[in-house]
Amino acid sequence: QGRFTLLRDTRTDGSFLVHHFLSFYLRAGCKVCFVALLQSFNHYSIVAQKLGVSLAAAKERGQLIFLEGLKSCLDLLFGEEEQPGQPSPLQFLRGSCSDLRALFDFVRAALAPADGDSWKGPVLLLDDLSVLLSLGAAPVAVLDFIHYCRVSVCCQLKGNIVVLVHSNEDSEDEENELVVNSLCHHSDLILWAEGLATGFCKDVYGQIKIIRRLSLRQAAEQDVVQTYQYKIQDRNVTFFARGLSAAVL
C-alpha cells in the first residue's frame, strides 16, 4: 500500500506490464482508475480477456473507472461540447488552462471512498504519461499532477499508482527525459524494459530491470537491482536469467 511503481521502456514496448498490472489489481479486488491515453477500451478489453479478466464487467460493477483518452481528445477538439458542471479531464487541450487540475479532479473523484464500497484499495493506472507531453502539457504541469496524485492516492487513501513512460537515452526530447528522470527519483519500484542492443531475436524480446528503491525509505540502504530477459507469449510472459534463453541453450 502507498507505493508508486514506474514502468519504463526503452527501444521496446512495455505495454505488457500495463496489461499485467490491470488484470492483477482487478483480480485482487481493488478499485482501479485507468487513465488510458494510448489505446482504446476495446484494445485493453481484448487483451484482458486473454488474461481471464472482463473489463466490461468490472466497469458495470463500479470496480473499474476508465478514461478513454483518445475519445476524449476527439470530443474536445472536434466534437461534443462540455456538459455544465462536468468539464472534460483533458480540457487543457483547449488552451483555457495550462495545468492538469481537471484530470486530477477526475482521478480523485473516481477513487474517493463511497458508502457500500467493499474494494480492497484504490489504484491509479496511467498509460502512458509521455502522451500528455505530446498533447502540449508542460513538464512542470505533468510532474505537479503526479505529485498531487501521490499525495491523494498513496498518502491519504493508502493506495497504489502505476505509471508507464517511454524513454530514450539518446533522444533529443529533453522535456520527456526530464519527466522520466524526475519520476525515477520518486518511485518505490522501477520496472525498466529494454530492447536488446543486438537487435531482434525470436526467443528473447528484451530485458527487464527490477529496481527496488530501498534508498527512498532508508537513506543508509542501497537500491536492489535485478535483471532478467523475457519472451512475450500469447497469454503470458516468460522470464529467465540472461544467457539461459532457448536461443542459447
Side-chain angles (χ1 to χ4, degrees):
Q1 291 182 341
R3 296 301 180 96
F4 180 88
T5 301
L6 181 67
L7 311 179
R8 180 178 180 180
D9 62 19
T10 304
R11 301 188 310 275
T12 190
D13 183 7
S15 59
F16 70 95
L17 295 169
V18 174
H19 298 299
H20 161 73
F21 278 100
L22 177 60
S23 60
F24 170 78
Y25 281 120
L26 290 177
R27 281 198 297 262
C30 298
K31 187 174 184 178
V32 179
C33 176
F34 188 11
V35 179
L37 302 173
L38 196 61
Q39 300 287 352
S40 66
F41 177 81
N42 288 336
H43 170 82
Y44 296 104
S45 181
I46 291 172
V47 177
Q49 285 180 350
K50 293 183 178 181
L51 301 178
V53 176
S54 173
L55 298 191
K59 283 184 66 176
E60 289 180 2
R61 61 177 178 261
Q63 184 185 10
L64 174 64
I65 294 87
F66 189 92
L67 173 62
E68 191 166 359
L70 294 175
K71 183 177 183 300
S72 297
C73 289
L74 291 176
D75 289 344
L76 269 175
L77 298 176
F78 307 109
E80 302 174 358
E81 295 291 333
E82 295 180 9
Q83 298 180 7
Q86 293 182 343
S88 170
L90 301 179
Q91 63 176 323
F92 74 93
L93 288 173
R94 286 184 169 173
S96 56
C97 61
S98 59
D99 56 40
L100 300 175
R101 183 175 302 178
L103 183 58
F104 169 70
D105 289 339
F106 170 84
V107 171
R108 183 172 56 180
L111 297 179
D115 295 337
D117 275 354
S118 59
W119 311 120
K120 293 184 179 180
V123 175
L124 170 60
L125 183 59
L126 205 157
D127 180 22
D128 74 78
L129 198 66
S130 303
V131 174
L132 291 176
L133 295 172
S134 300
L135 292 175
V140 173
V142 173
L143 292 175
D144 284 345
F145 165 71
I146 293 297
H147 170 73
Y148 283 109
C149 286
R150 288 184 62 208
V151 172
S152 178
V153 178
C154 296
C155 298
Q156 296 177 355
L157 300 178
K158 304 301 180 184
N160 297 314
I161 297 178
V162 181
V163 173
L164 173 69
V165 291
H166 298 297
S167 69
N168 189 344
E169 295 173 334
D170 299 328
S171 173
E172 296 182 357
D173 190 347
E174 297 179 358
E175 292 186 345
N176 187 75
E177 294 309 304
L178 172 64
V179 170
V180 172
N181 292 331
S182 298
L183 293 178
C184 287
H185 286 297
H186 297 286
S187 302
D188 298 286
L189 175 66
I190 302 173
L191 302 181
W192 188 353
E194 298 178 284
L196 296 177
T198 53
F200 174 78
C201 175
K202 66 177 182 178
D203 294 307
V204 184
Y205 279 47
Q207 71 174 18
I208 183 168
K209 290 182 181 178
I210 304 173
I211 307 173
R212 294 180 174 87
R213 298 291 316 287
L214 301 182
S215 61
L216 191 65
R217 298 185 179 272
Q218 296 181 359
E221 295 290 336
Q222 291 186 345
D223 296 342
V224 177
V225 181
Q226 296 172 292
T227 303
Y228 298 94
Q229 292 181 334
Y230 66 89
K231 178 181 180 181
I232 301 176
Q233 299 171 323
D234 188 40
R235 296 179 184 272
N236 58 14
V237 182
T238 303
F239 295 91
F240 40 83
R242 287 181 291 184
L244 296 182
S245 68
V248 177
L249 300 179

